[in-house]
Amino acid sequence: MKVIIHDLGEGITFSAGKPDKDSVVVHANNQYSPCRGCFKCWLKNAGFCIMKDSLQHIGACIGQSDPLIIISRCCYGGYSSPVKAILDRAIGSSLPLFTWRGGQTHHISRYPRRKLLRVYFYGECTKFEQETAKEIVERNRLNLDYEKVEMIFLENIEQLQEAGLCTF
Amino acid sequence: MHVLILHASPKKKGGASRFFAGLFSLFLPGTRKKTVSINSRQDFQRALELFPGMDVVCFFVPLYVDGLPSHVMEFLSQAEKYCKNHSCRFRLYAVSNNGFVEGKQNRPALHMLQAWCERAGITWGGGIGIGGGVMLRVLGTVYPILIGIILLQMAVSFFSTGIVPSGLWRSFAIQIFTWLFLNSGVLFCMARLSSAIRREQVLTDQFTRVMIPSFLFIPIANIFMILSSLFQGRFLFALLKREK
Protein backbone atom coordinates (compact mmCIF):
# COMPACT_ATOMS: atom_id res chain seq x y z
CA MET A 1 0.00 0.00 0.00
CA LYS A 2 1.42 3.37 -1.05
CA VAL A 3 0.98 6.04 1.62
CA ILE A 4 1.59 9.72 0.90
CA ILE A 5 1.82 12.23 3.74
CA HIS A 6 1.99 15.86 2.66
CA ASP A 7 1.53 19.39 3.99
CA LEU A 8 0.90 21.01 0.59
CA GLY A 9 -2.46 22.62 1.35
CA GLU A 10 -5.98 21.90 0.15
CA GLY A 11 -5.66 23.17 -3.42
CA ILE A 12 -2.62 21.06 -4.33
CA THR A 13 -2.78 17.42 -5.41
CA PHE A 14 0.22 15.15 -5.18
CA SER A 15 0.46 13.24 -8.44
CA ALA A 16 3.73 11.28 -8.59
CA GLY A 17 3.26 7.80 -10.05
CA LYS A 18 0.12 6.24 -11.45
CA PRO A 19 -3.08 6.55 -9.42
CA ASP A 20 -3.52 3.42 -7.41
CA LYS A 21 -6.67 2.22 -5.69
CA ASP A 22 -4.53 1.09 -2.75
CA SER A 23 -2.93 4.51 -2.33
CA VAL A 24 -3.70 6.45 0.82
CA VAL A 25 -3.11 10.21 0.94
CA VAL A 26 -2.84 11.78 4.38
CA HIS A 27 -3.13 15.55 4.33
CA ALA A 28 -1.16 17.08 7.18
CA ASN A 29 -3.66 19.83 7.96
CA ASN A 30 -3.24 20.04 11.75
CA GLN A 31 -6.88 19.04 12.32
CA TYR A 32 -5.75 16.49 14.91
CA SER A 33 -4.09 16.42 18.30
CA PRO A 34 -0.34 16.12 18.77
CA CYS A 35 1.05 13.05 20.57
CA ARG A 36 0.66 13.26 24.37
CA GLY A 37 3.49 10.82 25.04
CA CYS A 38 1.24 8.51 27.08
CA PHE A 39 2.56 5.33 25.37
CA LYS A 40 -0.96 3.82 25.52
CA CYS A 41 -0.53 2.77 21.85
CA TRP A 42 2.29 0.55 23.11
CA LEU A 43 1.16 -0.46 26.58
CA LYS A 44 -2.64 -0.65 26.39
CA ASN A 45 -3.80 -0.76 22.76
CA ALA A 46 -2.21 -3.00 20.14
CA GLY A 47 -0.76 -0.24 18.00
CA PHE A 48 -3.57 2.31 17.89
CA CYS A 49 -3.91 5.64 19.66
CA ILE A 50 -6.35 6.36 22.50
CA MET A 51 -7.23 9.74 20.96
CA LYS A 52 -10.26 9.25 18.73
CA ASP A 53 -9.50 11.48 15.78
CA SER A 54 -8.38 11.00 12.16
CA LEU A 55 -4.97 9.70 13.28
CA GLN A 56 -6.22 7.02 15.67
CA HIS A 57 -5.08 4.23 13.32
CA ILE A 58 -2.17 5.99 11.60
CA GLY A 59 0.30 3.52 13.15
CA ALA A 60 -1.23 0.62 11.19
CA CYS A 61 -1.36 2.76 8.05
CA ILE A 62 2.33 3.70 8.20
CA GLY A 63 3.33 0.24 9.40
CA GLN A 64 1.94 -1.26 6.17
CA SER A 65 3.01 1.50 3.79
CA ASP A 66 5.40 0.63 1.00
CA PRO A 67 6.48 3.01 -0.33
CA LEU A 68 5.95 5.67 2.31
CA ILE A 69 6.21 9.07 0.65
CA ILE A 70 6.54 12.18 2.81
CA ILE A 71 6.37 15.70 1.40
CA SER A 72 7.17 18.34 3.98
CA ARG A 73 8.38 21.87 4.27
CA CYS A 74 11.94 21.75 5.67
CA CYS A 75 11.79 23.40 9.09
CA TYR A 76 15.13 23.84 10.89
CA GLY A 77 16.33 20.61 9.27
CA GLY A 78 13.26 18.57 10.18
CA TYR A 79 9.64 18.03 9.19
CA SER A 80 7.00 20.72 9.50
CA SER A 81 4.89 20.56 12.66
CA PRO A 82 1.76 19.09 10.95
CA VAL A 83 3.79 16.32 9.27
CA LYS A 84 5.75 15.62 12.45
CA ALA A 85 2.50 15.29 14.42
CA ILE A 86 1.48 12.45 12.09
CA LEU A 87 4.80 10.66 12.55
CA ASP A 88 4.71 11.19 16.33
CA ARG A 89 1.22 9.66 16.47
CA ALA A 90 2.40 6.61 14.48
CA ILE A 91 4.81 5.07 16.99
CA GLY A 92 2.32 2.20 17.36
CA SER A 93 3.80 0.87 14.10
CA SER A 94 6.56 -0.48 16.32
CA LEU A 95 6.41 -2.58 19.49
CA PRO A 96 7.39 -1.24 22.92
CA LEU A 97 10.22 -3.80 23.03
CA PHE A 98 13.79 -2.86 22.22
CA THR A 99 16.26 -4.48 19.87
CA TRP A 100 19.69 -3.82 18.38
CA ARG A 101 19.62 -2.52 14.81
CA GLY A 102 22.22 -0.60 12.80
CA GLY A 103 24.59 -0.53 15.77
CA GLN A 104 22.09 1.21 18.06
CA THR A 105 19.04 0.39 20.15
CA HIS A 106 15.69 0.73 18.39
CA HIS A 107 12.17 -0.59 18.80
CA ILE A 108 11.12 -3.88 17.21
CA SER A 109 8.86 -3.26 14.22
CA ARG A 110 5.25 -4.47 14.57
CA TYR A 111 5.00 -5.00 10.81
CA PRO A 112 7.30 -6.79 8.31
CA ARG A 113 10.26 -4.89 6.88
CA ARG A 114 9.32 -2.60 3.98
CA LYS A 115 11.31 -1.48 0.98
CA LEU A 116 11.18 2.24 0.34
CA LEU A 117 10.88 5.49 2.29
CA ARG A 118 10.99 8.57 0.06
CA VAL A 119 11.08 12.10 1.49
CA TYR A 120 10.68 15.37 -0.40
CA PHE A 121 11.73 18.45 1.55
CA TYR A 122 10.76 21.77 0.03
CA GLY A 123 11.42 25.35 1.03
CA GLU A 124 14.53 27.32 1.88
CA CYS A 125 17.02 25.03 3.58
CA THR A 126 20.63 25.80 4.55
CA LYS A 127 23.42 23.25 4.05
CA PHE A 128 23.49 22.63 7.82
CA GLU A 129 19.72 22.03 7.81
CA GLN A 130 20.08 19.65 4.84
CA GLU A 131 22.72 17.63 6.70
CA THR A 132 20.47 17.52 9.77
CA ALA A 133 17.49 16.45 7.64
CA LYS A 134 19.57 13.68 6.04
CA GLU A 135 20.53 12.32 9.46
CA ILE A 136 16.91 12.44 10.68
CA VAL A 137 15.53 10.64 7.62
CA GLU A 138 18.23 7.96 7.78
CA ARG A 139 17.31 7.41 11.44
CA ASN A 140 13.62 7.29 10.44
CA ARG A 141 14.50 4.57 7.93
CA LEU A 142 16.11 2.51 10.68
CA ASN A 143 13.33 3.11 13.21
CA LEU A 144 10.45 2.60 10.78
CA ASP A 145 12.30 -0.43 9.35
CA TYR A 146 12.69 0.40 5.65
CA GLU A 147 15.41 -1.11 3.47
CA LYS A 148 16.09 1.99 1.41
CA VAL A 149 15.63 5.74 1.68
CA GLU A 150 15.50 8.40 -1.03
CA MET A 151 15.65 12.13 -0.26
CA ILE A 152 14.97 15.04 -2.56
CA PHE A 153 15.40 18.71 -1.63
CA LEU A 154 13.37 21.25 -3.60
CA GLU A 155 13.57 25.00 -3.13
CA ASN A 156 9.82 25.63 -3.39
CA ILE A 157 6.46 24.04 -4.13
CA GLU A 158 6.65 25.18 -7.76
CA GLN A 159 9.59 22.82 -8.26
CA LEU A 160 7.34 19.96 -7.15
CA GLN A 161 4.95 20.97 -9.92
CA GLU A 162 7.76 21.29 -12.50
CA ALA A 163 8.94 17.79 -11.57
CA GLY A 164 5.40 16.53 -12.22
CA LEU A 165 4.91 15.60 -8.58
CA CYS A 166 1.89 17.79 -7.91
CA THR A 167 -0.79 19.86 -9.62
CA PHE A 168 -2.29 23.12 -8.41
CA MET B 1 21.66 36.44 35.58
CA HIS B 2 18.08 35.66 34.51
CA VAL B 3 17.60 32.06 33.40
CA LEU B 4 14.44 30.65 31.86
CA ILE B 5 14.10 26.87 32.14
CA LEU B 6 11.66 25.68 29.51
CA HIS B 7 10.57 22.06 29.47
CA ALA B 8 8.59 20.63 26.62
CA SER B 9 7.31 17.25 27.75
CA PRO B 10 3.80 16.85 26.29
CA LYS B 11 2.83 14.79 29.35
CA LYS B 12 0.68 16.62 31.88
CA LYS B 13 2.49 14.92 34.77
CA GLY B 14 5.94 13.37 35.03
CA GLY B 15 8.09 13.14 31.94
CA ALA B 16 11.86 12.83 31.71
CA SER B 17 12.30 16.40 30.38
CA ARG B 18 10.55 17.78 33.48
CA PHE B 19 12.74 15.56 35.69
CA PHE B 20 15.97 16.76 34.05
CA ALA B 21 14.81 20.39 34.21
CA GLY B 22 14.22 20.00 37.96
CA LEU B 23 17.60 18.32 38.43
CA PHE B 24 19.43 20.99 36.43
CA SER B 25 17.89 23.86 38.36
CA LEU B 26 19.93 22.56 41.34
CA PHE B 27 23.07 23.37 39.33
CA LEU B 28 22.16 27.04 39.04
CA PRO B 29 22.26 28.44 42.60
CA GLY B 30 22.42 32.22 42.80
CA THR B 31 20.75 32.83 39.45
CA ARG B 32 17.22 34.17 38.97
CA LYS B 33 15.45 31.12 37.59
CA LYS B 34 11.99 30.77 36.19
CA THR B 35 10.64 27.39 35.09
CA VAL B 36 7.88 27.20 32.49
CA SER B 37 6.27 24.24 30.78
CA ILE B 38 5.22 24.33 27.12
CA ASN B 39 3.28 21.09 26.93
CA SER B 40 0.44 22.59 24.89
CA ARG B 41 -0.33 25.54 22.58
CA GLN B 42 -1.96 27.45 25.45
CA ASP B 43 1.46 27.77 27.14
CA PHE B 44 3.30 29.26 24.15
CA GLN B 45 2.45 32.95 24.53
CA ARG B 46 3.23 33.00 28.26
CA ALA B 47 6.67 31.49 27.58
CA LEU B 48 7.41 33.83 24.66
CA GLU B 49 6.60 36.93 26.70
CA LEU B 50 9.39 35.98 29.12
CA PHE B 51 12.04 35.89 26.38
CA PRO B 52 13.00 39.62 26.26
CA GLY B 53 14.03 39.73 29.93
CA MET B 54 16.23 36.62 29.83
CA ASP B 55 20.01 36.22 29.61
CA VAL B 56 19.82 32.47 29.17
CA VAL B 57 17.11 30.04 28.06
CA CYS B 58 17.62 26.33 28.83
CA PHE B 59 15.34 24.20 26.71
CA PHE B 60 14.59 20.66 27.91
CA VAL B 61 13.06 18.56 25.13
CA PRO B 62 12.22 14.91 24.59
CA LEU B 63 13.24 13.15 21.37
CA TYR B 64 10.19 12.02 19.38
CA VAL B 65 10.69 9.93 16.23
CA ASP B 66 14.32 11.02 15.84
CA GLY B 67 13.61 14.75 16.06
CA LEU B 68 11.81 17.44 18.00
CA PRO B 69 8.14 16.75 18.88
CA SER B 70 5.49 18.43 16.71
CA HIS B 71 4.34 20.85 19.43
CA VAL B 72 7.97 22.00 19.85
CA MET B 73 8.21 22.61 16.08
CA GLU B 74 5.08 24.74 16.31
CA PHE B 75 6.49 26.63 19.30
CA LEU B 76 9.82 27.26 17.51
CA SER B 77 8.01 28.63 14.47
CA GLN B 78 6.14 31.14 16.68
CA ALA B 79 9.29 31.85 18.68
CA GLU B 80 11.29 32.68 15.53
CA LYS B 81 8.74 35.35 14.59
CA TYR B 82 8.62 36.63 18.17
CA CYS B 83 12.42 36.94 18.45
CA LYS B 84 12.62 38.82 15.15
CA ASN B 85 10.03 41.34 16.34
CA HIS B 86 11.26 41.81 19.92
CA SER B 87 14.53 42.53 21.60
CA CYS B 88 15.70 39.04 22.60
CA ARG B 89 19.35 38.73 23.58
CA PHE B 90 19.48 35.41 25.39
CA ARG B 91 21.74 32.46 24.67
CA LEU B 92 19.97 29.17 24.08
CA TYR B 93 21.22 25.98 25.71
CA ALA B 94 19.38 22.69 25.30
CA VAL B 95 19.08 19.29 26.95
CA SER B 96 17.49 16.61 24.81
CA ASN B 97 16.71 13.14 26.12
CA ASN B 98 15.55 9.93 24.49
CA GLY B 99 14.34 6.50 25.57
CA PHE B 100 17.09 4.62 23.74
CA VAL B 101 20.36 4.15 25.56
CA GLU B 102 22.59 6.15 23.17
CA GLY B 103 22.76 9.86 23.91
CA LYS B 104 24.05 10.50 20.38
CA GLN B 105 20.61 9.74 19.00
CA ASN B 106 19.71 13.25 20.24
CA ARG B 107 22.20 14.95 17.91
CA PRO B 108 19.63 15.85 15.19
CA ALA B 109 17.35 17.45 17.82
CA LEU B 110 20.23 19.62 19.09
CA HIS B 111 21.16 20.51 15.50
CA MET B 112 17.56 21.57 14.80
CA LEU B 113 17.68 23.92 17.78
CA GLN B 114 21.02 25.26 16.56
CA ALA B 115 19.45 25.83 13.12
CA TRP B 116 16.55 27.63 14.81
CA CYS B 117 19.04 29.95 16.54
CA GLU B 118 20.58 30.88 13.19
CA ARG B 119 17.17 31.77 11.75
CA ALA B 120 15.92 33.61 14.85
CA GLY B 121 19.15 35.59 15.40
CA ILE B 122 19.78 33.97 18.78
CA THR B 123 23.18 32.80 20.08
CA TRP B 124 23.46 29.02 20.30
CA GLY B 125 25.16 27.94 23.52
CA GLY B 126 25.31 24.17 22.94
CA GLY B 127 23.54 21.25 24.48
CA ILE B 128 23.50 17.81 26.06
CA GLY B 129 22.01 14.64 24.59
CA ILE B 130 20.96 12.13 27.25
CA GLY B 131 20.34 8.46 26.42
CA GLY B 132 18.12 6.29 28.64
CA GLY B 133 16.15 9.35 29.75
CA VAL B 134 13.02 7.39 30.68
CA MET B 135 15.09 4.92 32.69
CA LEU B 136 16.85 7.74 34.57
CA ARG B 137 13.51 9.39 35.31
CA VAL B 138 12.11 6.10 36.68
CA LEU B 139 15.28 5.57 38.74
CA GLY B 140 14.84 9.12 40.00
CA THR B 141 11.52 8.00 41.47
CA VAL B 142 12.56 4.52 42.66
CA TYR B 143 15.77 5.50 44.45
CA PRO B 144 14.27 8.20 46.71
CA ILE B 145 11.64 5.62 47.75
CA LEU B 146 14.32 3.00 48.51
CA ILE B 147 16.43 5.55 50.39
CA GLY B 148 13.35 6.76 52.27
CA ILE B 149 12.55 3.20 53.38
CA ILE B 150 16.13 2.72 54.64
CA LEU B 151 16.01 6.05 56.51
CA LEU B 152 12.73 4.97 58.09
CA GLN B 153 14.27 1.66 59.18
CA MET B 154 17.25 3.57 60.63
CA ALA B 155 14.93 5.88 62.56
CA VAL B 156 12.86 2.97 63.93
CA SER B 157 16.02 1.13 64.93
CA PHE B 158 17.52 4.21 66.61
CA PHE B 159 14.40 5.00 68.66
CA SER B 160 13.81 1.39 69.71
CA THR B 161 17.40 0.23 70.44
CA GLY B 162 19.39 3.46 70.57
CA ILE B 163 21.75 2.36 67.76
CA VAL B 164 21.64 2.10 63.98
CA PRO B 165 22.95 -1.28 62.72
CA SER B 166 25.96 -1.04 60.40
CA GLY B 167 24.07 -3.10 57.78
CA LEU B 168 21.55 -0.25 57.38
CA TRP B 169 24.36 2.29 56.99
CA ARG B 170 25.88 0.03 54.33
CA SER B 171 22.54 -0.30 52.48
CA PHE B 172 22.08 3.48 52.65
CA ALA B 173 25.56 4.12 51.20
CA ILE B 174 25.09 1.47 48.47
CA GLN B 175 21.79 3.03 47.29
CA ILE B 176 23.25 6.56 47.24
CA PHE B 177 26.38 5.48 45.34
CA THR B 178 24.41 3.32 42.88
CA TRP B 179 22.14 6.26 42.00
CA LEU B 180 25.13 8.57 41.69
CA PHE B 181 26.94 6.06 39.48
CA LEU B 182 23.95 5.52 37.14
CA ASN B 183 23.54 9.30 36.84
CA SER B 184 27.25 10.18 36.86
CA GLY B 185 27.38 11.02 33.13
CA VAL B 186 24.33 13.27 33.37
CA LEU B 187 25.58 15.00 36.53
CA PHE B 188 29.02 15.61 34.97
CA CYS B 189 27.51 17.04 31.76
CA MET B 190 25.08 19.22 33.73
CA ALA B 191 28.00 20.58 35.77
CA ARG B 192 29.79 21.47 32.50
CA LEU B 193 26.61 23.06 31.13
CA SER B 194 26.17 25.08 34.31
CA SER B 195 29.79 26.24 34.10
CA ALA B 196 29.35 27.25 30.43
CA ILE B 197 26.21 29.24 31.32
CA ARG B 198 27.92 31.10 34.14
CA ARG B 199 30.98 31.90 32.03
CA GLU B 200 28.82 32.84 29.03
CA GLN B 201 30.66 30.26 26.95
CA VAL B 202 29.61 28.01 24.11
CA LEU B 203 29.55 24.34 25.08
CA THR B 204 30.44 21.76 22.45
CA ASP B 205 27.48 19.36 22.30
CA GLN B 206 27.89 16.67 24.95
CA PHE B 207 26.38 13.19 24.80
CA THR B 208 25.85 10.96 27.79
CA ARG B 209 23.61 8.12 28.95
CA VAL B 210 22.41 6.04 31.84
CA MET B 211 25.51 4.18 33.01
CA ILE B 212 24.30 0.72 32.02
CA PRO B 213 25.86 -1.28 29.18
CA SER B 214 23.60 -1.75 26.15
CA PHE B 215 23.42 -5.55 26.53
CA LEU B 216 21.87 -5.01 29.99
CA PHE B 217 19.79 -1.97 28.99
CA ILE B 218 17.75 -3.89 26.40
CA PRO B 219 16.48 -6.71 28.70
CA ILE B 220 15.91 -4.28 31.62
CA ALA B 221 13.96 -1.87 29.38
CA ASN B 222 11.95 -4.77 27.92
CA ILE B 223 11.03 -6.06 31.41
CA PHE B 224 10.00 -2.50 32.35
CA MET B 225 7.73 -2.30 29.29
CA ILE B 226 6.18 -5.71 30.06
CA LEU B 227 5.51 -4.69 33.69
CA SER B 228 4.12 -1.32 32.55
CA SER B 229 1.69 -3.08 30.20
CA LEU B 230 0.60 -5.33 33.10
CA PHE B 231 -0.20 -2.18 35.11
CA GLN B 232 -2.37 -1.10 32.16
CA GLY B 233 -4.21 -4.44 32.44
CA ARG B 234 -2.63 -5.99 29.35
CA PHE B 235 -0.44 -9.05 28.95
CA LEU B 236 2.35 -8.44 26.48
CA PHE B 237 1.12 -10.99 23.92
CA ALA B 238 -2.08 -8.92 23.52
CA LEU B 239 0.09 -5.96 22.52
CA LEU B 240 1.91 -7.82 19.74
CA LYS B 241 -1.17 -7.90 17.48
CA ARG B 242 -1.23 -6.13 14.13
CA GLU B 243 -4.08 -4.01 12.90
CA LYS B 244 -5.25 -4.58 9.33
Side-chain angles (χ1 to χ4, degrees), chain B residues 211-228:
Chain B
M211 290 296 153
I212 289 177
S214 302
F215 73 90
L216 282 178
F217 175 87
I218 291 175
I220 291 170
N222 285 344
I223 290 167
F224 173 74
M225 287 296 187
I226 291 166
L227 291 176
S228 298

Side-chain angles (χ1 to χ4, degrees), chain B residues 225-242:
Chain B
M225 287 296 187
I226 291 166
L227 291 176
S228 298
S229 66
L230 279 173
F231 277 112
Q232 305 274 347
R234 296 285 192 276
F235 290 107
L236 183 70
F237 63 82
L239 302 177
L240 304 181
K241 284 191 280 186
R242 290 175 186 162

Side-chain angles (χ1 to χ4, degrees), chain A residues 30 32 34-40 42-48 56-57 59-60 64 75-82 84-85 87-88 91 95-100 103-107 109-112 124-126 128-129 132 135-136 139-141 143-144, chain B residues 10-12 41 64-71 73-74 76-78 80 99-102 104-116 118-119 134 214-215 217-218 221-226 228-230 232-234 236 238-244:
Chain A
N30 243 350
Y32 36 74
C35 177
R36 286 186 208 163
C38 68
F39 296 166
K40 291 266 174 32
W42 275 341
L43 303 175
K44 192 162 188 180
N45 299 338
F48 61 95
Q56 189 175 22
H57 298 279
Q64 297 170 89
C75 297
Y76 317 118
Y79 301 104
S80 66
S81 173
K84 189 63 187 0
L87 297 176
D88 289 350
I91 59 165
L95 296 175
L97 304 178
F98 292 83
T99 187
W100 189 259
Q104 290 184 327
T105 46
H106 290 286
H107 287 288
S109 185
R110 188 182 296 275
Y111 296 91
E124 191 197 339
C125 194
T126 64
F128 181 69
E129 287 170 339
T132 304
E135 184 173 355
I136 287 176
R139 288 185 179 280
N140 288 163
R141 181 194 71 75
N143 264 326
L144 295 169
Chain B
K11 295 180 175 78
K12 284 184 182 162
R41 285 171 190 148
Y64 272 37
V65 193
D66 307 305
L68 297 172
S70 64
H71 72 289
M73 293 303 294
E74 195 174 332
L76 290 178
S77 176
Q78 290 184 24
E80 182 189 337
F100 301 126
V101 73
E102 300 88 5
K104 282 198 171 175
Q105 295 210 37
N106 293 288
R107 187 171 53 200
L110 295 180
H111 283 185
M112 287 172 79
L113 291 169
Q114 187 175 349
W116 176 84
E118 282 176 27
R119 289 197 178 269
V134 177
S214 302
F215 73 90
F217 175 87
I218 291 175
N222 285 344
I223 290 167
F224 173 74
M225 287 296 187
I226 291 166
S228 298
S229 66
L230 279 173
Q232 305 274 347
R234 296 285 192 276
L236 183 70
L239 302 177
L240 304 181
K241 284 191 280 186
R242 290 175 186 162
E243 276 195 287
K244 293 292 176 192

Side-chain angles (χ1 to χ4, degrees), chain B residues 8-143:
Chain B
S9 172
K11 295 180 175 78
K12 284 184 182 162
K13 286 181 184 173
S17 300
R18 190 176 277 114
F19 168 73
F20 290 121
L23 186 61
F24 185 64
S25 66
L26 302 175
F27 284 78
L28 295 169
T31 58
R32 293 189 175 185
K33 299 182 288 281
K34 191 160 180 66
T35 303
V36 173
S37 162
I38 53 154
N39 70 357
S40 69
R41 285 171 190 148
Q42 289 74 38
D43 303 324
F44 290 178
Q45 193 57 33
R46 189 166 60 103
L48 292 176
E49 282 169 4
L50 293 169
F51 275 9
M54 293 296 157
D55 302 305
V56 170
V57 173
C58 285
F59 204 2
F60 289 77
V61 291
L63 189 77
Y64 272 37
V65 193
D66 307 305
L68 297 172
S70 64
H71 72 289
V72 173
M73 293 303 294
E74 195 174 332
F75 174 76
L76 290 178
S77 176
Q78 290 184 24
E80 182 189 337
K81 287 177 196 141
Y82 189 91
C83 289
K84 283 176 176 170
N85 293 322
H86 295 79
S87 177
C88 297
R89 291 177 183 170
F90 59 85
R91 277 170 292 123
L92 181 74
Y93 295 88
V95 177
S96 174
N97 79 89
N98 66 327
F100 301 126
V101 73
E102 300 88 5
K104 282 198 171 175
Q105 295 210 37
N106 293 288
R107 187 171 53 200
L110 295 180
H111 283 185
M112 287 172 79
L113 291 169
Q114 187 175 349
W116 176 84
C117 284
E118 282 176 27
R119 289 197 178 269
I122 296 296
T123 306
W124 170 244
I128 307 175
I130 301 173
V134 177
M135 186 176 274
L136 287 168
R137 195 263 298 164
V138 172
L139 293 173
T141 308
V142 169
Y143 272 87

Side-chain angles (χ1 to χ4, degrees), chain A residues 139-167:
Chain A
R139 288 185 179 280
N140 288 163
R141 181 194 71 75
L142 265 174
N143 264 326
L144 295 169
D145 206 12
Y146 282 88
E147 285 175 14
K148 189 181 163 193
V149 67
E150 291 175 1
M151 280 185 76
I152 298 104
F153 289 96
L154 302 163
E155 284 178 17
N156 48 50
I157 296 180
E158 286 71 30
Q159 283 193 345
L160 277 171
Q161 189 185 22
E162 286 165 18
L165 298 171
C166 72
T167 53

Side-chain angles (χ1 to χ4, degrees), chain B residues 149-167:
Chain B
I149 290 169
I150 294 169
L151 285 174
L152 194 67
Q153 287 176 322
M154 290 166 94
V156 169
S157 178
F158 180 76
F159 286 116
S160 56
T161 65
I163 55 160
V164 177
S166 60

